[in-house]
Amino acid sequence: MNKTNDPLNDSSDLFRQALEASDHAALIANLDGIIEYANPALLHISGYALDELLGAHCRIFQSGLTTHSVYQALWSTLQGGGVWDGDLLNRRKNGELFWQHLHITPLKSGKKISHFFSSATDLSEQHAIQQRVDWLSSFDTLTGLPNRPHFISRLKASIQEVIGTHQSLSLIHLDIDNFGALNEKHGEQEGDRILKQVGEALRDSIRQGDILARLSGDEFGLILRDSQIDEQHLETVQGFASAISELLSAERMQAELTFSMGIAVFPGDGSDADSLMYSAAIAKQAAVAEGGNRFMFYQGGPENSKSARLDLINQLRHAINHGELVLHYQPQVSLVSREIVGFEALVRWNHPERGLVQPVQFIPLAEETGLIIPLSEWVLETACKQMRDWRNAGLPAVRVAVNMSARHFHMKTLPEQIAALLARTGLDAWQLELELTESMMMRDAAVAIGIVDQIKSMGVQLTLDDFGTGYSSLAYLSRLSIHALKIDQSFVRDITSNPVNASIVLATIAMSHKLGMRAIAEGVETEAQRTFLQRHGCDEIQGYGFSRPVPAEQAGQMLRDGRKLEPTLSSTGDHSQPTLLLVDDEPNIINALRRIFHHEGYRIVCANSAAVALELMALNRIDVILSDQRMPEMTGVELLSRIKELYPSTIRIVLSGYSDINDITDAINKGAIYKYFTKPWDDEILCEEMRKIFRDLREEPVV
Ligand code: C2E
Ligand code: MG
Ligand code: MG
């Protein structure tokens, strides 16, 4: 750097050293925006050499994607002597975009501004996570269709658009009949495949402007714009019916798979999104009650359903006051100590005639009618007393997580109520944990933050439940000082086979740790899911794999017995031995390969399908995978492409016939596979090639 115009020239060497050592990108520019100093962090992040930056204009970093008005505001603030703070999307020398948070200050020589000093933090990682989280909060990862919250906001917008016009819109609620049974019979993977295909068939049959979404499980929603209940409308509906039937007959499953649709029309069947959704769901239920495999229009709210509802409300009121509610407790276990660290309290209704009723069947009604307040108060009180009783009985002190309802959470007196409850039961504040949801927090964000702060200051724990299914705003999360994020079970379910969900879970774990929170995964059912989560630093799990929710008596017994998670298979295995996973649906081939590698000193693990292979990948540390190409449920290339995303350091090799070479070359070009061997193979050559691969591995250990 030319010493004469080095703005740091006169400053102490200490300041220079500090700037050079900082991991914040720092820059000094003159009044014309010409760069006179750039520190090593800036060179590193921008990819420019010092010579290229000195004397260049600051706009060298501009991406062209930040609006002109932002720069205008920036320069006018600085020239007026103010400090500018904000995010900019910049470009590196190699063309890549990156986000920075900049803090720019004018520097004065005497009274006049002579230079500007800019210090920046890199936001690329946060923005990448945010983008992923934004996507996941609006779309369903299996079908790629909008999800329920996104659908409802589109429905609200569509209603706004047609209000005051002569247009109408219809909402269709579609449900596959007996999907649960089908899933059980053919397996979840086949179930997922069918859902995907139904989604595709529906997508192909809608008109431009119609909106399709997957609402949950096997339920789809459809908004038809500008459609009257006339012949044309019926034709559209029948169009879906036949599109799906065609698909099903192509699948040769027509006899098994049918569906029910409920149709509600705006404004006649509901004046807002919620009531329209409700009417369509009622109409769908009526279609199911008629035996399924049909569509029905909403019948204008039959009187008997209204009276049944009133009846249920009265029964629920009675239940709350007469001890018909019970709490079941589901343990939450630490993946570090493997011990029970808490329980989630889940309410059930012990109905005198209907037996144990699950919360999904009465919580929404309680929310609607306000009965949720006495219900929630009862749950809080009962859960806290239970913890105190266990502690008094000498059992280890653990947390209890209680699900908050939106109404209860927004009650002004909630903090006082909780303080009084803690005083009354003598429970330590840390033992109580409140589970909040994002929608609850978004209703009135400023009020919500105030309540959270008050409750937190008492020492009560706060967790964000069902994370990933709501708004998932990072900016908002970092302002909310909560203790834990609970990853929704819909992401955990296929974590070992769906790279998109797996990466969302990993991003969520990373993000929660960055923000100083615990990550807890719910719905953990299998050993493979647990091992995967454990390997990626998740703190706690909850799910049927360890225990279903159980009555208090049984939960207390678990604490008394000191029940723990079993050690994982991978933690007990021998890690020093290199491991080879063989995948082929033909047992003969597996046996032949086993024989060949038998004396090579590898630990050999075998799978007879892609699904088993994914399970074993999660359970074991696999160095090399050798997979057949032609397998019934998934090709070897497809399997290895997923494995590339899930376990990038595993060496992936495919074993194929000559006819598959095109697919395989393509996969090699995309980096999905490392090598391929052809069938029939030569034992000697195969063995030697494998030795080479393992030798290279030893020289460059897999991390
Ligand atoms: P949630 O808070 O997300 O609770 C987790 C649900 O997942 C529970 O269902 C639990 O039984 C279930 N679950 C746990 N592990 C697994 C697993 O491994 N596999 C599967 N498939 N499911 C698992 P549950 O008890 O039916 O509760 C459903 C929802 O009802 C809860 O969702 C919560 O939103 C609400 N709820 C339950 N109790 C209360 C309460 O006391 N107050 C309020 N306001 N809501 C409650
Ligand atoms: Mg919960
Ligand atoms: Mg949950």
Side-chain angles (χ1 to χ4, degrees), residues 344 346 402-403 435 465-466 486 522 542:
E344 177 170 8
L346 294 157
V402 173
N403 291 285
E435 289 197 0
D465 200 359
D466 304 337
K486 200 168 193 187
E522 73 177 2
Q542 172 184 345

Side-chain angles (χ1 to χ4, degrees), residues 423-455:
R424 199 161 58 241
T425 52
L427 195 72
D428 283 345
W430 70 266
Q431 282 194 264
L432 177 62
E433 176 173 11
L434 302 182
E435 289 197 0
L436 316 172
T437 60
E438 290 168 280
S439 56
M440 189 181 284
M441 311 296 295
M442 292 293 170
R443 213 159 83 172
D444 190 343
V447 173
I449 291 178
I451 302 175
V452 161
D453 286 346
Q454 275 188 65
I455 296 178

Side-chain angles (χ1 to χ4, degrees), residues 11-29:
S11 316
S12 101
D13 197 38
L14 220 51
F15 287 123
R16 172 183 289 282
Q17 280 186 43
L19 275 182
E20 306 270 308
S22 169
D23 60 357
H24 288 211
L27 171 155
I28 297 177

Side-chain angles (χ1 to χ4, degrees), residues 176-178 182 185-186 244-259 291-293:
I176 302 174
D177 296 326
N178 301 320
L182 187 126
K185 186 165 166 202
H186 298 286
I244 300 184
S245 312
E246 264 169 42
L247 164 86
L248 304 182
S249 50
E251 294 264 314
R252 289 191 214 90
M253 295 184 72
Q254 200 164 14
E256 223 176 325
L257 201 63
T258 59
F259 57 93
N293 196 14

Side-chain angles (χ1 to χ4, degrees), residues 63 111 272 425 443 497 647 688:
S63 61
K111 283 194 173 163
D272 58 22
T425 52
R443 213 159 83 172
S497 58
Y647 311 94
E688 187 43 46

Side-chain angles (χ1 to χ4, degrees), residues 29-34 36 75 79 112-116:
N30 67 17
L31 282 182
D32 297 325
I34 302 298
E36 293 191 4
W75 283 110
Q79 277 155 359
K112 278 175 65 185
I113 301 173
S114 67
H115 289 85
F116 302 109

